[in-house]
PDB file of all heavy atoms in Angstrom:
ATOM      1  N   VAL H   1      89.563 107.883 104.720  1.00 95.00           N
ATOM      2  CA  VAL H   1      89.398 108.705 105.919  1.00 95.00           C
ATOM      3  C   VAL H   1      89.390 107.775 107.121  1.00 95.00           C
ATOM      4  O   VAL H   1      88.541 106.887 107.229  1.00 95.00           O
ATOM      5  CB  VAL H   1      88.102 109.540 105.858  1.00 95.00           C
ATOM      6  CG1 VAL H   1      87.930 110.335 107.135  1.00 95.00           C
ATOM      7  CG2 VAL H   1      88.128 110.459 104.645  1.00 95.00           C
ATOM      8  N   GLY H   2      90.369 107.969 107.973  1.00 95.00           N
ATOM      9  CA  GLY H   2      90.573 107.117 109.130  1.00 95.00           C
ATOM     10  C   GLY H   2      91.818 106.280 108.914  1.00 95.00           C
ATOM     11  O   GLY H   2      92.166 105.940 107.784  1.00 95.00           O
ATOM     12  N   ALA H   3      92.512 105.972 110.000  1.00 96.00           N
ATOM     13  CA  ALA H   3      93.738 105.183 109.889  1.00 96.00           C
ATOM     14  C   ALA H   3      93.766 104.072 110.928  1.00 96.00           C
ATOM     15  O   ALA H   3      94.820 103.619 111.336  1.00 96.00           O
ATOM     16  CB  ALA H   3      94.957 106.093 110.034  1.00 96.00           C
ATOM     17  N   GLY H   4      92.595 103.640 111.337  1.00 95.00           N
ATOM     18  CA  GLY H   4      92.500 102.565 112.318  1.00 95.00           C
ATOM     19  C   GLY H   4      92.525 101.194 111.664  1.00 95.00           C
ATOM     20  O   GLY H   4      92.906 101.048 110.497  1.00 95.00           O
ATOM     21  N   LEU H   5      92.105 100.208 112.408  1.00 95.00           N
ATOM     22  CA  LEU H   5      92.157  98.818 111.960  1.00 95.00           C
ATOM     23  C   LEU H   5      91.370  98.587 110.675  1.00 95.00           C
ATOM     24  O   LEU H   5      91.880  97.992 109.722  1.00 95.00           O
ATOM     25  CB  LEU H   5      91.623  97.906 113.073  1.00 95.00           C
ATOM     26  CG  LEU H   5      91.607  96.424 112.765  1.00 95.00           C
ATOM     27  CD1 LEU H   5      93.028  95.904 112.597  1.00 95.00           C
ATOM     28  CD2 LEU H   5      90.885  95.674 113.861  1.00 95.00           C
ATOM     29  N   ILE H   6      90.142  99.046 110.625  1.00 96.00           N
ATOM     30  CA  ILE H   6      89.306  98.822 109.435  1.00 96.00           C
ATOM     31  C   ILE H   6      89.851  99.595 108.242  1.00 96.00           C
ATOM     32  O   ILE H   6      89.878  99.078 107.116  1.00 96.00           O
ATOM     33  CB  ILE H   6      87.833  99.201 109.715  1.00 96.00           C
ATOM     34  CG1 ILE H   6      87.261  98.298 110.815  1.00 96.00           C
ATOM     35  CG2 ILE H   6      86.988  99.114 108.449  1.00 96.00           C
ATOM     36  CD1 ILE H   6      87.305  96.814 110.506  1.00 96.00           C
ATOM     37  N   ALA H   7      90.317 100.811 108.463  1.00 96.00           N
ATOM     38  CA  ALA H   7      90.908 101.593 107.366  1.00 96.00           C
ATOM     39  C   ALA H   7      92.117 100.867 106.790  1.00 96.00           C
ATOM     40  O   ALA H   7      92.321 100.851 105.574  1.00 96.00           O
ATOM     41  CB  ALA H   7      91.307 102.980 107.852  1.00 96.00           C
ATOM     42  N   GLY H   8      92.914 100.256 107.654  1.00 95.00           N
ATOM     43  CA  GLY H   8      94.054  99.485 107.181  1.00 95.00           C
ATOM     44  C   GLY H   8      93.622  98.330 106.289  1.00 95.00           C
ATOM     45  O   GLY H   8      94.258  98.049 105.272  1.00 95.00           O
ATOM     46  N   CYS H   9      92.528  97.675 106.654  1.00 96.00           N
ATOM     47  CA  CYS H   9      91.981  96.593 105.816  1.00 96.00           C
ATOM     48  C   CYS H   9      91.549  97.129 104.463  1.00 96.00           C
ATOM     49  O   CYS H   9      91.810  96.522 103.424  1.00 96.00           O
ATOM     50  CB  CYS H   9      90.792  95.930 106.509  1.00 96.00           C
ATOM     51  SG  CYS H   9      91.220  95.017 107.993  1.00 96.00           S
ATOM     52  N   HIS H  10      90.898  98.289 104.462  1.00 97.00           N
ATOM     53  CA  HIS H  10      90.462  98.895 103.204  1.00 97.00           C
ATOM     54  C   HIS H  10      91.656  99.265 102.341  1.00 97.00           C
ATOM     55  O   HIS H  10      91.658  99.013 101.127  1.00 97.00           O
ATOM     56  CB  HIS H  10      89.595 100.130 103.474  1.00 97.00           C
ATOM     57  CG  HIS H  10      88.255  99.795 104.018  1.00 97.00           C
ATOM     58  ND1 HIS H  10      87.670 100.513 105.028  1.00 97.00           N
ATOM     59  CD2 HIS H  10      87.387  98.810 103.711  1.00 97.00           C
ATOM     60  CE1 HIS H  10      86.488  99.987 105.303  1.00 97.00           C
ATOM     61  NE2 HIS H  10      86.303  98.945 104.519  1.00 97.00           N
ATOM     62  N   VAL H  11      92.663  99.870 102.946  1.00 97.00           N
ATOM     63  CA  VAL H  11      93.847 100.272 102.188  1.00 97.00           C
ATOM     64  C   VAL H  11      94.515  99.048 101.555  1.00 97.00           C
ATOM     65  O   VAL H  11      94.878  99.064 100.380  1.00 97.00           O
ATOM     66  CB  VAL H  11      94.831 101.062 103.084  1.00 97.00           C
ATOM     67  CG1 VAL H  11      96.196 101.195 102.427  1.00 97.00           C
ATOM     68  CG2 VAL H  11      94.264 102.439 103.406  1.00 97.00           C
ATOM     69  N   ARG H  12      94.668  97.981 102.322  1.00 96.00           N
ATOM     70  CA  ARG H  12      95.283  96.767 101.766  1.00 96.00           C
ATOM     71  C   ARG H  12      94.443  96.201 100.626  1.00 96.00           C
ATOM     72  O   ARG H  12      94.980  95.765  99.603  1.00 96.00           O
ATOM     73  CB  ARG H  12      95.492  95.731 102.859  1.00 96.00           C
ATOM     74  CG  ARG H  12      96.668  96.060 103.757  1.00 96.00           C
ATOM     75  CD  ARG H  12      96.995  94.934 104.723  1.00 96.00           C
ATOM     76  NE  ARG H  12      95.934  94.628 105.667  1.00 96.00           N
ATOM     77  CZ  ARG H  12      95.677  95.344 106.760  1.00 96.00           C
ATOM     78  NH1 ARG H  12      96.406  96.420 107.035  1.00 96.00           N
ATOM     79  NH2 ARG H  12      94.704  94.996 107.577  1.00 96.00           N
ATOM     80  N   ALA H  13      93.141  96.205 100.779  1.00 97.00           N
ATOM     81  CA  ALA H  13      92.264  95.705  99.710  1.00 97.00           C
ATOM     82  C   ALA H  13      92.371  96.577  98.465  1.00 97.00           C
ATOM     83  O   ALA H  13      92.437  96.053  97.339  1.00 97.00           O
ATOM     84  CB  ALA H  13      90.818  95.643 100.199  1.00 97.00           C
ATOM     85  N   TYR H  14      92.374  97.895  98.655  1.00 97.00           N
ATOM     86  CA  TYR H  14      92.507  98.798  97.506  1.00 97.00           C
ATOM     87  C   TYR H  14      93.817  98.568  96.772  1.00 97.00           C
ATOM     88  O   TYR H  14      93.859  98.576  95.545  1.00 97.00           O
ATOM     89  CB  TYR H  14      92.432 100.261  97.943  1.00 97.00           C
ATOM     90  CG  TYR H  14      91.050 100.752  98.286  1.00 97.00           C
ATOM     91  CD1 TYR H  14      90.851 101.574  99.393  1.00 97.00           C
ATOM     92  CD2 TYR H  14      89.952 100.431  97.516  1.00 97.00           C
ATOM     93  CE1 TYR H  14      89.592 102.048  99.720  1.00 97.00           C
ATOM     94  CE2 TYR H  14      88.683 100.902  97.832  1.00 97.00           C
ATOM     95  CZ  TYR H  14      88.516 101.712  98.937  1.00 97.00           C
ATOM     96  OH  TYR H  14      87.269 102.177  99.243  1.00 97.00           O
ATOM     97  N   THR H  15      94.907  98.373  97.507  1.00 95.00           N
ATOM     98  CA  THR H  15      96.210  98.213  96.847  1.00 95.00           C
ATOM     99  C   THR H  15      96.296  96.908  96.070  1.00 95.00           C
ATOM    100  O   THR H  15      97.124  96.787  95.175  1.00 95.00           O
ATOM    101  CB  THR H  15      97.375  98.304  97.850  1.00 95.00           C
ATOM    102  OG1 THR H  15      97.237  97.298  98.840  1.00 95.00           O
ATOM    103  CG2 THR H  15      97.440  99.677  98.504  1.00 95.00           C
ATOM    104  N   LYS H  16      95.444  95.950  96.385  1.00 96.00           N
ATOM    105  CA  LYS H  16      95.421  94.674  95.659  1.00 96.00           C
ATOM    106  C   LYS H  16      94.439  94.701  94.491  1.00 96.00           C
ATOM    107  O   LYS H  16      94.339  93.724  93.751  1.00 96.00           O
ATOM    108  CB  LYS H  16      95.053  93.541  96.605  1.00 96.00           C
ATOM    109  CG  LYS H  16      96.108  93.273  97.650  1.00 96.00           C
ATOM    110  CD  LYS H  16      95.662  92.190  98.603  1.00 96.00           C
ATOM    111  CE  LYS H  16      96.715  91.991  99.683  1.00 96.00           C
ATOM    112  NZ  LYS H  16      96.261  91.026 100.686  1.00 96.00           N
ATOM    113  N   THR H  17      93.730  95.810  94.331  1.00 96.00           N
ATOM    114  CA  THR H  17      92.714  95.918  93.294  1.00 96.00           C
ATOM    115  C   THR H  17      93.289  96.644  92.081  1.00 96.00           C
ATOM    116  O   THR H  17      93.742  97.784  92.189  1.00 96.00           O
ATOM    117  CB  THR H  17      91.482  96.684  93.822  1.00 96.00           C
ATOM    118  OG1 THR H  17      91.005  96.023  95.000  1.00 96.00           O
ATOM    119  CG2 THR H  17      90.387  96.741  92.780  1.00 96.00           C
ATOM    120  N   GLU H  18      93.276  95.962  90.950  1.00 95.00           N
ATOM    121  CA  GLU H  18      93.799  96.554  89.724  1.00 95.00           C
ATOM    122  C   GLU H  18      93.022  97.825  89.368  1.00 95.00           C
ATOM    123  O   GLU H  18      91.795  97.861  89.460  1.00 95.00           O
ATOM    124  CB  GLU H  18      93.675  95.557  88.581  1.00 95.00           C
ATOM    125  CG  GLU H  18      94.324  96.027  87.305  1.00 95.00           C
ATOM    126  CD  GLU H  18      94.251  94.973  86.216  1.00 95.00           C
ATOM    127  OE1 GLU H  18      94.130  93.788  86.545  1.00 95.00           O
ATOM    128  OE2 GLU H  18      94.317  95.375  85.047  1.00 95.00           O
ATOM    129  N   GLY H  19      93.754  98.858  88.987  1.00 96.00           N
ATOM    130  CA  GLY H  19      93.137 100.101  88.567  1.00 96.00           C
ATOM    131  C   GLY H  19      92.781 101.051  89.702  1.00 96.00           C
ATOM    132  O   GLY H  19      92.121 102.053  89.483  1.00 96.00           O
ATOM    133  N   VAL H  20      93.209 100.739  90.930  1.00 96.00           N
ATOM    134  CA  VAL H  20      92.925 101.597  92.083  1.00 96.00           C
ATOM    135  C   VAL H  20      94.237 102.016  92.730  1.00 96.00           C
ATOM    136  O   VAL H  20      95.104 101.179  92.984  1.00 96.00           O
ATOM    137  CB  VAL H  20      92.045 100.863  93.126  1.00 96.00           C
ATOM    138  CG1 VAL H  20      91.824 101.733  94.352  1.00 96.00           C
ATOM    139  CG2 VAL H  20      90.721 100.454  92.515  1.00 96.00           C
ATOM    140  N   ASP H  21      94.388 103.311  92.958  1.00 95.00           N
ATOM    141  CA  ASP H  21      95.563 103.856  93.638  1.00 95.00           C
ATOM    142  C   ASP H  21      95.125 104.597  94.894  1.00 95.00           C
ATOM    143  O   ASP H  21      94.299 105.515  94.811  1.00 95.00           O
ATOM    144  CB  ASP H  21      96.317 104.845  92.743  1.00 95.00           C
ATOM    145  CG  ASP H  21      96.970 104.176  91.559  1.00 95.00           C
ATOM    146  OD1 ASP H  21      97.476 103.044  91.718  1.00 95.00           O
ATOM    147  OD2 ASP H  21      96.982 104.774  90.471  1.00 95.00           O
ATOM    148  N   VAL H  22      95.663 104.214  96.050  1.00 96.00           N
ATOM    149  CA  VAL H  22      95.412 104.954  97.285  1.00 96.00           C
ATOM    150  C   VAL H  22      96.362 106.146  97.269  1.00 96.00           C
ATOM    151  O   VAL H  22      97.576 105.985  97.232  1.00 96.00           O
ATOM    152  CB  VAL H  22      95.661 104.086  98.541  1.00 96.00           C
ATOM    153  CG1 VAL H  22      95.456 104.908  99.802  1.00 96.00           C
ATOM    154  CG2 VAL H  22      94.741 102.878  98.529  1.00 96.00           C
ATOM    155  N   VAL H  23      95.801 107.352  97.248  1.00 95.00           N
ATOM    156  CA  VAL H  23      96.634 108.550  97.142  1.00 95.00           C
ATOM    157  C   VAL H  23      96.716 109.333  98.441  1.00 95.00           C
ATOM    158  O   VAL H  23      97.618 110.150  98.610  1.00 95.00           O
ATOM    159  CB  VAL H  23      96.144 109.481  96.000  1.00 95.00           C
ATOM    160  CG1 VAL H  23      96.248 108.772  94.656  1.00 95.00           C
ATOM    161  CG2 VAL H  23      94.718 109.952  96.247  1.00 95.00           C
ATOM    162  N   ALA H  24      95.782 109.102  99.363  1.00 96.00           N
ATOM    163  CA  ALA H  24      95.784 109.866 100.615  1.00 96.00           C
ATOM    164  C   ALA H  24      95.113 109.061 101.724  1.00 96.00           C
ATOM    165  O   ALA H  24      94.193 108.285 101.475  1.00 96.00           O
ATOM    166  CB  ALA H  24      95.051 111.189 100.429  1.00 96.00           C
TER     167      ALA H  24
END
């Protein structure tokens, strides 16, 4: 939830984490 700077950091971290898929 959110698409700002910090959300972008979270999304990048999630995509590098095995077993985690960002779906929305």
Side-chain angles (χ1 to χ4, degrees):
V1 178
L5 180 65
I6 297 302
C9 293
H10 289 139
V11 166
R12 284 188 297 281
Y14 285 138
T15 59
K16 293 177 183 175
T17 304
E18 186 177 336
V20 177
D21 292 322
V22 177
V23 298

